Amino acid sequence: METATPTFAPQLYIPNGIRDVDFYINGLGAVELRRYSNDDGTIHVSELSINGAIFHLHEETRSRTSFSPLRHQGSTVTIGLFVQNVDAYMTSAVAAGAKVISPAQDYDYGYRQGDVEDPFGHVWMFESRI
């Protein structure tokens, strides 16, 4: 089934055994839409939304080639999230446990951007046009 406007819904891999997604709720203002848990209560899949932008957290067991960035101490993807107030998102994310990679700053190409690494190793770039 096609939607009128294509949308991205990234699937972010997290280590096995994770039980809470509080960083995304408290640090990014996400709402957990639904969760599929394993028998032991750990997360199999958590579907979240930030102002209508949907993404999924998925435990690593699905594929041997899909893994949490923590396994290799790096990520091949930066998740760009357009927001109204980059500084507010940076502050909130850091208060919830993110590490600053690049402080928020204005760039000559017309964007204000800042990068953080979340507790699971995913890199988020908060950005807005200036």
Side-chain angles (χ1 to χ4, degrees):
M1 175 191 239
E2 261 185 65
T3 59
T5 303
T7 57
F8 287 95
Q11 187 160 282
L12 309 178
Y13 288 94
I14 57 175
N16 296 334
I18 301 300
R19 294 179 181 275
D20 88 50
V21 294
D22 287 349
F23 168 79
Y24 300 100
I25 294 166
N26 298 327
L28 304 183
V31 174
E32 187 174 36
L33 302 175
R34 57 186 156 169
R35 178 184 291 200
Y36 298 95
S37 298
N38 297 312
D39 291 340
D40 65 358
T42 59
I43 295 172
H44 177 65
V45 175
S46 173
E47 182 177 80
L48 297 122
S49 172
I50 301 172
N51 294 328
I54 293 175
F55 65 102
H56 299 95
L57 301 178
H58 197 297
E59 67 179 338
E60 289 183 294
T61 59
R62 181 170 175 224
S63 166
R64 293 182 304 156
T65 60
S66 302
F67 44 80
S68 163
L70 293 177
R71 185 186 301 180
H72 296 289
Q73 291 79 48
S75 179
T76 62
V77 174
T78 296
I79 303 150
L81 184 65
F82 281 88
V83 298
Q84 287 188 7
N85 188 332
V86 170
D87 298 282
Y89 269 81
M90 293 286 292
T91 299
S92 182
V94 169
K99 297 178 205 166
V100 173
I101 295 172
S102 176
Q105 58 185 321
D106 295 344
Y107 289 92
D108 59 1
Y109 48 82
Y111 284 90
R112 181 163 185 79
Q113 296 171 319
D115 299 330
V116 299
E117 180 181 313
D118 76 23
F120 301 113
H122 300 286
V123 177
W124 293 78
M125 176 191 293
F126 306 123
E127 51 193 323
S128 65
R129 287 189 170 190
I130 50 175

